[in-house]
Amino acid sequence: DIQMTQFPSSLSPSVGDRVTITCRASQSISTYLNWYQQKPGKAPKILIYAASSLHSGVPSRFSGSGSGTEFTLTISSLQPEDFATYYCQQSYISKYTFGQGTKLEIK
Amino acid sequence: EVALVESGGDLVQPGGSLRLSCAASGFILSTYEMNWVRQAPGKGLEWVSYISKSGDNIHYEDSVKGRFTISRDNAKNSLHLQMNSLRGEDTAVYYCARDLGKSSAFDIWGQGTMVTVSS
């Protein structure tokens, strides 16, 4: 199985900050990497698919990059509504696995 | 409006069974691959199972293999998860999720249904 490791596990940025979250795969997954945002008590929402493609309706301050084993999610200028938990997910093999999550907390 | 609505979650004793359902609306279920994802209280997301459009290709996470069965009724626009031999570690919110069709990303999620396994 492919293991996904995210870091950091938590972050306390300020509104307006540039935020970068990293996701590392235990083996190469090409660009089969997706990013989700989840707020407390709510279902996750897709942000980025195929490592760098912005899903419809997602603000352009979100971007993704990477290939192989290392990937990043960047929020160019953090907004108040962006405080949430972010998960990466590999879809290279059919046993899809998620990273453990990165929680953005208000400083 | 495109939506998924789960039902069937409940409190069940260890060793018991439960059948979850997921009703799709606003789109034709048969044209999408589907998944179940769960989240234990205070924990991260865990993929559980996948089913192809026609139901002829199915995958499970190792810890549920042999105990859970995913199925779909395209005529009724519904997805199901039969859960047998339930354990405490199966306690979670269970989400059904639609496969976008690109990079197997999940673009539509239900609101979740809570399964609690406890005596």
Side-chain angles (χ1 to χ4, degrees):
Chain A
D1 294 359
I2 298 176
Q3 310 303 319
M4 305 302 293
T5 304
Q6 277 181 246
F7 49 92
S9 56
S10 65
L11 210 48
S12 298
S14 299
V15 172
D17 283 356
R18 182 181 181 87
V19 173
T20 298
I21 298 168
T22 300
C23 181
R24 187 169 290 155
S26 59
Q27 66 181 72
S28 177
I29 58 171
S30 183
T31 57
Y32 289 88
L33 191 284
N34 310 307
W35 289 98
Y36 301 86
Q37 176 195 68
Q38 187 181 34
K39 296 183 178 179
K42 300 294 186 182
K45 290 184 179 180
I46 179 73
L47 298 173
I48 303 283
Y49 64 91
S52 60
S53 295
L54 192 69
H55 186 59
S56 174
V58 175
S60 59
R61 62 181 180 273
F62 291 93
S63 65
S65 65
S67 66
T69 61
E70 189 127 338
F71 303 85
T72 57
L73 172 71
T74 300
I75 309 172
S76 60
S77 178
L78 195 70
Q79 298 303 299
E81 60 268 30
D82 300 336
F83 287 94
T85 301
Y86 294 83
Y87 294 92
C88 62
Q89 174 222 2
Q90 69 81 17
S91 54
Y92 183 73
I93 61 169
S94 54
K95 287 187 180 182
Y96 308 132
T97 42
F98 290 89
Q100 79 278 16
T102 296
K103 187 174 183 180
L104 298 192
E105 299 174 293
I106 298 174
K107 183 180 283 186
Chain B
E1 182 191 356
V2 173
L4 294 168
V5 178
E6 301 95 338
S7 60
D10 205 347
L11 170 64
V12 61
Q13 293 191 339
S17 297
L18 215 51
R19 187 182 194 229
L20 306 184
S21 295
C22 171
S25 60
F27 69 98
I28 300 172
L29 188 71
S30 62
T31 61
Y32 291 90
E33 299 164 357
M34 296 294 295
N35 294 266
W36 287 96
V37 177
R38 67 184 179 184
Q39 187 169 36
K43 302 297 184 182
L45 301 172
E46 181 181 41
W47 171 80
V48 173
S49 185
Y50 155 92
I51 188 166
S52 62
K53 297 174 189 178
S54 63
D56 60 350
N57 193 14
I58 285 172
H59 300 284
Y60 297 101
E61 193 268 330
D62 286 348
S63 70
V64 309
K65 203 176 295 185
R67 300 188 299 123
F68 290 10
T69 302
I70 190 172
S71 63
R72 63 193 300 159
D73 185 339
N74 287 335
K76 295 184 178 179
N77 242 28
S78 62
L79 175 73
H80 304 283
L81 186 68
Q82 177 67 42
M83 310 163 67
N84 298 331
S85 304
L86 283 162
R87 307 167 180 167
E89 54 264 36
D90 297 319
T91 295
V93 173
Y94 284 74
Y95 297 100
C96 58
R98 188 180 82 169
D99 190 317
L100 175 63
K102 302 174 185 177
S103 187
S104 295
F106 304 158
D107 68 331
I108 303 295
W109 297 64
Q111 85 288 353
T113 187
M114 183 71 206
V115 172
T116 304
V117 184
S118 175
S119 54

